mmCIF file of all heavy atoms in Angstrom:
data_model
loop_
_atom_site.group_PDB
_atom_site.id
_atom_site.type_symbol
_atom_site.label_atom_id
_atom_site.label_comp_id
_atom_site.label_asym_id
_atom_site.label_seq_id
_atom_site.Cartn_x
_atom_site.Cartn_y
_atom_site.Cartn_z
ATOM 1 N N GLN A 1210 -1.423 5.866 6.225
ATOM 2 C CA GLN A 1210 -1.761 6.905 7.065
ATOM 3 C C GLN A 1210 -3.298 7.000 7.270
ATOM 4 O O GLN A 1210 -3.847 7.242 8.448
ATOM 5 C CB GLN A 1210 -1.252 8.287 6.612
ATOM 6 C CG GLN A 1210 0.287 8.439 6.837
ATOM 7 C CD GLN A 1210 0.841 9.647 6.210
ATOM 8 O OE1 GLN A 1210 1.747 9.631 5.484
ATOM 9 N NE2 GLN A 1210 0.180 10.811 6.604
ATOM 10 N N ILE A 1211 -3.931 6.746 6.109
ATOM 11 C CA ILE A 1211 -5.511 6.772 6.275
ATOM 12 C C ILE A 1211 -6.037 5.604 7.004
ATOM 13 O O ILE A 1211 -6.858 5.727 7.877
ATOM 14 C CB ILE A 1211 -6.088 6.834 4.878
ATOM 15 C CG1 ILE A 1211 -5.826 8.148 4.191
ATOM 16 C CG2 ILE A 1211 -7.607 6.608 4.920
ATOM 17 C CD1 ILE A 1211 -6.063 8.142 2.642
ATOM 18 N N ILE A 1212 -5.357 4.468 6.861
ATOM 19 C CA ILE A 1212 -5.711 3.175 7.673
ATOM 20 C C ILE A 1212 -5.559 3.470 9.165
ATOM 21 O O ILE A 1212 -6.370 3.161 9.995
ATOM 22 C CB ILE A 1212 -4.863 2.019 7.234
ATOM 23 C CG1 ILE A 1212 -5.347 1.631 5.857
ATOM 24 C CG2 ILE A 1212 -4.938 0.840 8.243
ATOM 25 C CD1 ILE A 1212 -4.318 0.647 5.200
ATOM 26 N N LEU A 1213 -4.452 4.072 9.499
ATOM 27 C CA LEU A 1213 -4.094 4.420 10.968
ATOM 28 C C LEU A 1213 -5.109 5.394 11.478
ATOM 29 O O LEU A 1213 -5.604 5.310 12.614
ATOM 30 C CB LEU A 1213 -2.630 4.866 11.066
ATOM 31 C CG LEU A 1213 -1.557 3.872 10.801
ATOM 32 C CD1 LEU A 1213 -0.203 4.458 10.875
ATOM 33 C CD2 LEU A 1213 -1.670 2.716 11.873
ATOM 34 N N ALA A 1214 -5.368 6.431 10.723
ATOM 35 C CA ALA A 1214 -6.304 7.507 11.202
ATOM 36 C C ALA A 1214 -7.655 6.899 11.478
ATOM 37 O O ALA A 1214 -8.318 7.290 12.345
ATOM 38 C CB ALA A 1214 -6.338 8.677 10.096
ATOM 39 N N GLN A 1215 -8.137 5.968 10.537
ATOM 40 C CA GLN A 1215 -9.419 5.469 10.686
ATOM 41 C C GLN A 1215 -9.405 4.369 11.899
ATOM 42 O O GLN A 1215 -10.416 4.401 12.591
ATOM 43 C CB GLN A 1215 -9.863 4.764 9.443
ATOM 44 C CG GLN A 1215 -10.207 5.722 8.339
ATOM 45 C CD GLN A 1215 -10.710 5.173 6.982
ATOM 46 O OE1 GLN A 1215 -10.950 3.889 6.953
ATOM 47 N NE2 GLN A 1215 -10.871 5.895 6.028
ATOM 48 N N MET A 1216 -8.394 3.697 12.150
ATOM 49 C CA MET A 1216 -8.299 2.782 13.296
ATOM 50 C C MET A 1216 -8.381 3.594 14.582
ATOM 51 O O MET A 1216 -8.992 3.287 15.533
ATOM 52 C CB MET A 1216 -6.892 2.097 13.254
ATOM 53 C CG MET A 1216 -7.006 0.708 12.804
ATOM 54 S SD MET A 1216 -5.349 -0.003 13.051
ATOM 55 C CE MET A 1216 -5.484 -0.729 14.763
ATOM 56 N N CYS A 1217 -7.626 4.794 14.575
ATOM 57 C CA CYS A 1217 -7.629 5.686 15.612
ATOM 58 C C CYS A 1217 -8.942 6.247 16.008
ATOM 59 O O CYS A 1217 -9.350 6.284 17.148
ATOM 60 C CB CYS A 1217 -6.567 6.737 15.413
ATOM 61 S SG CYS A 1217 -6.054 7.557 16.834
ATOM 62 N N SER A 1218 -9.662 6.462 14.832
ATOM 63 C CA SER A 1218 -11.031 7.060 15.017
ATOM 64 C C SER A 1218 -11.957 5.993 15.725
ATOM 65 O O SER A 1218 -12.783 6.248 16.607
ATOM 66 C CB SER A 1218 -11.642 7.457 13.776
ATOM 67 O OG SER A 1218 -12.957 7.879 13.778
ATOM 68 N N ALA A 1219 -11.826 4.742 15.274
ATOM 69 C CA ALA A 1219 -12.590 3.733 15.889
ATOM 70 C C ALA A 1219 -12.380 3.439 17.310
ATOM 71 O O ALA A 1219 -13.179 3.264 18.236
ATOM 72 C CB ALA A 1219 -12.396 2.336 15.118
ATOM 73 N N LEU A 1220 -10.989 3.519 17.665
ATOM 74 C CA LEU A 1220 -10.574 3.353 19.124
ATOM 75 C C LEU A 1220 -11.103 4.524 19.904
ATOM 76 O O LEU A 1220 -11.592 4.333 21.069
ATOM 77 C CB LEU A 1220 -9.129 3.142 19.079
ATOM 78 C CG LEU A 1220 -8.595 1.903 18.767
ATOM 79 C CD1 LEU A 1220 -6.993 1.917 18.807
ATOM 80 C CD2 LEU A 1220 -8.986 0.851 19.796
ATOM 81 N N SER A 1221 -11.052 5.710 19.398
ATOM 82 C CA SER A 1221 -11.381 6.933 20.045
ATOM 83 C C SER A 1221 -12.915 6.792 20.417
ATOM 84 O O SER A 1221 -13.471 7.110 21.544
ATOM 85 C CB SER A 1221 -11.379 8.155 19.290
ATOM 86 O OG SER A 1221 -9.960 8.551 19.124
ATOM 87 N N PHE A 1222 -13.831 6.217 19.516
ATOM 88 C CA PHE A 1222 -15.212 6.050 19.675
ATOM 89 C C PHE A 1222 -15.494 4.973 20.830
ATOM 90 O O PHE A 1222 -16.130 5.354 21.772
ATOM 91 C CB PHE A 1222 -15.882 5.540 18.451
ATOM 92 C CG PHE A 1222 -17.279 5.249 18.678
ATOM 93 C CD1 PHE A 1222 -18.167 6.248 18.637
ATOM 94 C CD2 PHE A 1222 -17.791 3.863 18.662
ATOM 95 C CE1 PHE A 1222 -19.627 5.917 18.814
ATOM 96 C CE2 PHE A 1222 -19.114 3.657 18.852
ATOM 97 C CZ PHE A 1222 -20.014 4.680 18.886
ATOM 98 N N LEU A 1223 -14.653 3.842 20.876
ATOM 99 C CA LEU A 1223 -14.857 2.919 21.871
ATOM 100 C C LEU A 1223 -14.426 3.631 23.270
ATOM 101 O O LEU A 1223 -15.139 3.354 24.341
ATOM 102 C CB LEU A 1223 -13.928 1.689 21.630
ATOM 103 C CG LEU A 1223 -14.421 0.666 20.703
ATOM 104 C CD1 LEU A 1223 -13.320 -0.343 20.429
ATOM 105 C CD2 LEU A 1223 -15.670 0.082 21.223
ATOM 106 N N HIS A 1224 -13.332 4.397 23.223
ATOM 107 C CA HIS A 1224 -12.938 4.992 24.428
ATOM 108 C C HIS A 1224 -13.856 6.119 25.058
ATOM 109 O O HIS A 1224 -14.090 6.135 26.211
ATOM 110 C CB HIS A 1224 -11.508 5.603 24.308
ATOM 111 C CG HIS A 1224 -10.463 4.508 24.015
ATOM 112 N ND1 HIS A 1224 -9.152 4.829 23.748
ATOM 113 C CD2 HIS A 1224 -10.471 3.128 24.014
ATOM 114 C CE1 HIS A 1224 -8.442 3.761 23.525
ATOM 115 N NE2 HIS A 1224 -9.186 2.736 23.695
ATOM 116 N N HIS A 1225 -14.469 6.664 24.024
ATOM 117 C CA HIS A 1225 -15.474 7.641 24.436
ATOM 118 C C HIS A 1225 -16.636 6.885 25.128
ATOM 119 O O HIS A 1225 -17.229 7.475 26.085
ATOM 120 C CB HIS A 1225 -16.138 8.405 23.212
ATOM 121 C CG HIS A 1225 -17.220 9.281 23.465
ATOM 122 N ND1 HIS A 1225 -17.086 10.549 24.159
ATOM 123 C CD2 HIS A 1225 -18.510 9.210 23.248
ATOM 124 C CE1 HIS A 1225 -18.206 11.057 24.281
ATOM 125 N NE2 HIS A 1225 -19.134 10.302 23.768
ATOM 126 N N LEU A 1226 -16.935 5.715 24.696
ATOM 127 C CA LEU A 1226 -18.031 4.889 25.464
ATOM 128 C C LEU A 1226 -17.509 4.147 26.732
ATOM 129 O O LEU A 1226 -18.261 3.365 27.337
ATOM 130 C CB LEU A 1226 -18.507 3.776 24.551
ATOM 131 C CG LEU A 1226 -19.281 4.328 23.245
ATOM 132 C CD1 LEU A 1226 -19.549 3.144 22.281
ATOM 133 C CD2 LEU A 1226 -20.419 5.033 23.564
ATOM 134 N N ARG A 1227 -16.181 4.438 27.039
ATOM 135 C CA ARG A 1227 -15.544 3.895 28.198
ATOM 136 C C ARG A 1227 -15.274 2.388 28.017
ATOM 137 O O ARG A 1227 -15.552 1.595 28.967
ATOM 138 C CB ARG A 1227 -16.209 4.302 29.439
ATOM 139 C CG ARG A 1227 -16.325 5.732 29.643
ATOM 140 C CD ARG A 1227 -16.830 6.179 30.964
ATOM 141 N NE ARG A 1227 -16.128 5.711 32.196
ATOM 142 C CZ ARG A 1227 -15.022 5.966 32.653
ATOM 143 N NH1 ARG A 1227 -14.317 6.975 31.944
ATOM 144 N NH2 ARG A 1227 -14.544 5.499 33.759
ATOM 145 N N VAL A 1228 -15.012 1.963 26.871
ATOM 146 C CA VAL A 1228 -14.731 0.488 26.591
ATOM 147 C C VAL A 1228 -13.314 0.444 26.056
ATOM 148 O O VAL A 1228 -12.897 1.174 25.135
ATOM 149 C CB VAL A 1228 -15.657 0.058 25.500
ATOM 150 C CG1 VAL A 1228 -15.265 -1.404 25.061
ATOM 151 C CG2 VAL A 1228 -17.100 -0.055 26.020
ATOM 152 N N ALA A 1229 -12.608 -0.386 26.669
ATOM 153 C CA ALA A 1229 -11.164 -0.799 26.301
ATOM 154 C C ALA A 1229 -11.355 -2.013 25.345
ATOM 155 O O ALA A 1229 -11.819 -3.094 25.708
ATOM 156 C CB ALA A 1229 -10.282 -1.111 27.358
ATOM 157 N N HIS A 1230 -10.744 -1.986 24.058
ATOM 158 C CA HIS A 1230 -10.731 -3.050 23.138
ATOM 159 C C HIS A 1230 -10.038 -4.233 23.630
ATOM 160 O O HIS A 1230 -10.484 -5.377 23.621
ATOM 161 C CB HIS A 1230 -10.319 -2.574 21.811
ATOM 162 C CG HIS A 1230 -10.418 -3.547 20.707
ATOM 163 N ND1 HIS A 1230 -9.591 -4.655 20.553
ATOM 164 C CD2 HIS A 1230 -11.265 -3.571 19.688
ATOM 165 C CE1 HIS A 1230 -9.923 -5.269 19.453
ATOM 166 N NE2 HIS A 1230 -10.965 -4.698 18.961
ATOM 167 N N ARG A 1231 -8.907 -3.972 24.132
ATOM 168 C CA ARG A 1231 -7.836 -5.016 24.749
ATOM 169 C C ARG A 1231 -7.213 -5.989 23.769
ATOM 170 O O ARG A 1231 -6.484 -6.872 24.188
ATOM 171 C CB ARG A 1231 -8.448 -5.743 25.831
ATOM 172 C CG ARG A 1231 -8.925 -4.659 27.010
ATOM 173 C CD ARG A 1231 -9.489 -5.414 28.199
ATOM 174 N NE ARG A 1231 -8.591 -6.380 28.833
ATOM 175 C CZ ARG A 1231 -7.531 -6.206 29.675
ATOM 176 N NH1 ARG A 1231 -7.373 -4.844 30.032
ATOM 177 N NH2 ARG A 1231 -6.899 -7.033 30.125
ATOM 178 N N GLN A 1232 -7.655 -5.934 22.435
ATOM 179 C CA GLN A 1232 -7.119 -6.871 21.568
ATOM 180 C C GLN A 1232 -6.715 -6.182 20.281
ATOM 181 O O GLN A 1232 -6.764 -6.714 19.192
ATOM 182 C CB GLN A 1232 -8.136 -7.957 21.198
ATOM 183 C CG GLN A 1232 -8.600 -8.883 22.341
ATOM 184 C CD GLN A 1232 -7.439 -9.722 22.776
ATOM 185 O OE1 GLN A 1232 -6.796 -10.451 22.035
ATOM 186 N NE2 GLN A 1232 -7.000 -9.863 24.076
ATOM 187 N N VAL A 1233 -6.140 -5.077 20.325
ATOM 188 C CA VAL A 1233 -5.689 -4.221 19.133
ATOM 189 C C VAL A 1233 -4.461 -4.859 18.673
ATOM 190 O O VAL A 1233 -3.351 -4.869 19.236
ATOM 191 C CB VAL A 1233 -5.429 -2.725 19.484
ATOM 192 C CG1 VAL A 1233 -4.953 -2.071 18.340
ATOM 193 C CG2 VAL A 1233 -6.741 -2.121 20.105
ATOM 194 N N THR A 1234 -4.444 -5.331 17.491
ATOM 195 C CA THR A 1234 -3.426 -5.937 16.749
ATOM 196 C C THR A 1234 -3.623 -5.698 15.200
ATOM 197 O O THR A 1234 -4.805 -5.341 14.778
ATOM 198 C CB THR A 1234 -3.192 -7.494 16.918
ATOM 199 O OG1 THR A 1234 -4.324 -8.154 16.294
ATOM 200 C CG2 THR A 1234 -3.108 -7.772 18.389
ATOM 201 N N CYS A 1235 -2.642 -5.913 14.391
ATOM 202 C CA CYS A 1235 -2.883 -5.769 12.899
ATOM 203 C C CYS A 1235 -3.732 -6.858 12.438
ATOM 204 O O CYS A 1235 -4.472 -6.528 11.444
ATOM 205 C CB CYS A 1235 -1.491 -5.858 12.194
ATOM 206 S SG CYS A 1235 -0.482 -4.364 12.294
ATOM 207 N N HIS A 1236 -3.876 -7.921 13.060
ATOM 208 C CA HIS A 1236 -4.751 -9.004 12.693
ATOM 209 C C HIS A 1236 -6.323 -8.597 12.955
ATOM 210 O O HIS A 1236 -7.143 -9.339 12.420
ATOM 211 C CB HIS A 1236 -4.459 -10.305 13.445
ATOM 212 C CG HIS A 1236 -3.055 -10.737 13.264
ATOM 213 N ND1 HIS A 1236 -2.101 -10.305 14.282
ATOM 214 C CD2 HIS A 1236 -2.437 -11.407 12.445
ATOM 215 C CE1 HIS A 1236 -0.931 -10.771 13.765
ATOM 216 N NE2 HIS A 1236 -1.051 -11.480 12.708
ATOM 217 N N ARG A 1237 -6.549 -7.625 13.718
ATOM 218 C CA ARG A 1237 -7.878 -7.136 13.935
ATOM 219 C C ARG A 1237 -8.368 -6.022 12.957
ATOM 220 O O ARG A 1237 -9.514 -5.565 13.149
ATOM 221 C CB ARG A 1237 -8.016 -6.649 15.404
ATOM 222 C CG ARG A 1237 -7.603 -7.611 16.487
ATOM 223 C CD ARG A 1237 -8.525 -8.751 16.638
ATOM 224 N NE ARG A 1237 -8.074 -9.634 17.729
ATOM 225 C CZ ARG A 1237 -8.818 -10.680 18.059
ATOM 226 N NH1 ARG A 1237 -9.923 -10.926 17.574
ATOM 227 N NH2 ARG A 1237 -8.298 -11.417 19.186
ATOM 228 N N VAL A 1238 -7.555 -5.686 12.073
ATOM 229 C CA VAL A 1238 -7.893 -4.609 11.155
ATOM 230 C C VAL A 1238 -8.544 -5.266 9.938
ATOM 231 O O VAL A 1238 -7.872 -6.023 9.214
ATOM 232 C CB VAL A 1238 -6.657 -3.774 10.852
ATOM 233 C CG1 VAL A 1238 -7.112 -2.617 9.836
ATOM 234 C CG2 VAL A 1238 -6.038 -3.137 11.985
ATOM 235 N N LEU A 1239 -9.701 -4.776 9.622
ATOM 236 C CA LEU A 1239 -10.489 -5.289 8.385
ATOM 237 C C LEU A 1239 -10.558 -4.155 7.444
ATOM 238 O O LEU A 1239 -10.951 -3.042 7.725
ATOM 239 C CB LEU A 1239 -11.885 -5.680 8.737
ATOM 240 C CG LEU A 1239 -12.010 -6.712 9.941
ATOM 241 C CD1 LEU A 1239 -13.428 -6.902 10.327
ATOM 242 C CD2 LEU A 1239 -11.387 -7.912 9.633
ATOM 243 N N LEU A 1240 -9.949 -4.337 6.234
ATOM 244 C CA LEU A 1240 -9.919 -3.370 5.091
ATOM 245 C C LEU A 1240 -10.988 -3.680 4.058
ATOM 246 O O LEU A 1240 -11.125 -4.727 3.653
ATOM 247 C CB LEU A 1240 -8.601 -3.350 4.454
ATOM 248 C CG LEU A 1240 -7.362 -3.066 5.384
ATOM 249 C CD1 LEU A 1240 -6.109 -3.157 4.513
ATOM 250 C CD2 LEU A 1240 -7.444 -1.733 6.043
ATOM 251 N N TYR A 1241 -11.625 -2.535 3.682
ATOM 252 C CA TYR A 1241 -12.698 -2.645 2.678
ATOM 253 C C TYR A 1241 -12.341 -1.523 1.657
ATOM 254 O O TYR A 1241 -11.556 -0.614 2.049
ATOM 255 C CB TYR A 1241 -14.083 -2.402 3.079
ATOM 256 C CG TYR A 1241 -14.458 -3.443 4.124
ATOM 257 C CD1 TYR A 1241 -14.263 -3.242 5.573
ATOM 258 C CD2 TYR A 1241 -15.133 -4.577 3.783
ATOM 259 C CE1 TYR A 1241 -14.636 -4.306 6.416
ATOM 260 C CE2 TYR A 1241 -15.600 -5.557 4.679
ATOM 261 C CZ TYR A 1241 -15.253 -5.339 5.984
ATOM 262 O OH TYR A 1241 -15.650 -6.291 6.929
ATOM 263 N N GLU A 1242 -12.745 -1.659 0.450
ATOM 264 C CA GLU A 1242 -12.642 -0.545 -0.480
ATOM 265 C C GLU A 1242 -13.938 0.175 -0.637
ATOM 266 O O GLU A 1242 -14.881 -0.443 -0.709
ATOM 267 C CB GLU A 1242 -12.197 -1.045 -1.769
ATOM 268 C CG GLU A 1242 -10.754 -1.493 -1.941
ATOM 269 C CD GLU A 1242 -10.264 -1.825 -3.233
ATOM 270 O OE1 GLU A 1242 -10.294 -0.905 -4.087
ATOM 271 O OE2 GLU A 1242 -9.979 -3.003 -3.555
ATOM 272 N N ARG A 1243 -13.862 1.504 -0.685
ATOM 273 C CA ARG A 1243 -15.087 2.341 -0.861
ATOM 274 C C ARG A 1243 -15.600 2.132 -2.386
ATOM 275 O O ARG A 1243 -14.789 2.000 -3.295
ATOM 276 C CB ARG A 1243 -14.856 3.754 -0.603
ATOM 277 C CG ARG A 1243 -14.530 4.075 0.785
ATOM 278 C CD ARG A 1243 -14.329 5.565 0.976
ATOM 279 N NE ARG A 1243 -13.876 5.887 2.368
ATOM 280 C CZ ARG A 1243 -13.895 7.013 2.784
ATOM 281 N NH1 ARG A 1243 -14.190 8.051 2.074
ATOM 282 N NH2 ARG A 1243 -13.471 7.221 3.988
ATOM 283 N N LEU A 1244 -16.876 2.101 -2.443
ATOM 284 C CA LEU A 1244 -17.380 1.853 -3.712
ATOM 285 C C LEU A 1244 -17.465 3.156 -4.409
ATOM 286 O O LEU A 1244 -17.969 4.173 -3.952
ATOM 287 C CB LEU A 1244 -18.819 1.307 -3.723
ATOM 288 C CG LEU A 1244 -18.913 -0.119 -3.051
ATOM 289 C CD1 LEU A 1244 -20.344 -0.536 -2.891
ATOM 290 C CD2 LEU A 1244 -18.119 -1.198 -3.894
ATOM 291 N N LYS A 1245 -17.084 3.326 -5.847
ATOM 292 C CA LYS A 1245 -17.127 4.422 -6.678
ATOM 293 C C LYS A 1245 -16.491 5.669 -6.055
ATOM 294 O O LYS A 1245 -16.859 6.726 -6.477
ATOM 295 C CB LYS A 1245 -18.632 4.714 -6.938
ATOM 296 C CG LYS A 1245 -19.239 3.515 -7.696
ATOM 297 C CD LYS A 1245 -20.741 3.961 -8.086
ATOM 298 C CE LYS A 1245 -21.357 2.735 -8.712
ATOM 299 N NZ LYS A 1245 -22.843 3.070 -9.031
ATOM 300 N N GLU A 1246 -15.508 5.513 -5.185
ATOM 301 C CA GLU A 1246 -14.883 6.703 -4.730
ATOM 302 C C GLU A 1246 -13.419 6.610 -4.948
ATOM 303 O O GLU A 1246 -12.951 6.006 -5.860
ATOM 304 C CB GLU A 1246 -15.222 6.951 -3.165
ATOM 305 C CG GLU A 1246 -16.659 7.435 -2.988
ATOM 306 C CD GLU A 1246 -16.889 7.822 -1.582
ATOM 307 O OE1 GLU A 1246 -15.973 8.166 -0.865
ATOM 308 O OE2 GLU A 1246 -18.060 7.676 -1.134
ATOM 309 N N THR A 1247 -12.701 7.233 -4.103
ATOM 310 C CA THR A 1247 -11.264 7.356 -4.393
ATOM 311 C C THR A 1247 -10.352 6.138 -4.211
ATOM 312 O O THR A 1247 -9.156 6.078 -4.520
ATOM 313 C CB THR A 1247 -10.675 8.411 -3.476
ATOM 314 O OG1 THR A 1247 -10.840 7.920 -2.105
ATOM 315 C CG2 THR A 1247 -11.283 9.761 -3.532
#
Side-chain angles (χ1 to χ4, degrees):
Q1210 285 175 233
I1211 292 168
I1212 290 167
L1213 291 173
Q1215 290 182 6
M1216 253 187 94
C1217 200
S1218 177
L1220 284 171
S1221 290
F1222 177 75
L1223 280 176
H1224 295 173
H1225 176 74
L1226 297 175
R1227 302 187 52 75
V1228 173
H1230 186 284
R1231 298 183 59 80
Q1232 295 292 310
V1233 177
T1234 69
C1235 283
H1236 304 94
R1237 305 286 185 175
V1238 180
L1239 308 172
L1240 300 178
Y1241 298 89
E1242 288 190 60
R1243 292 184 186 190
L1244 300 175
K1245 298 182 184 178
E1246 287 189 27
T1247 61

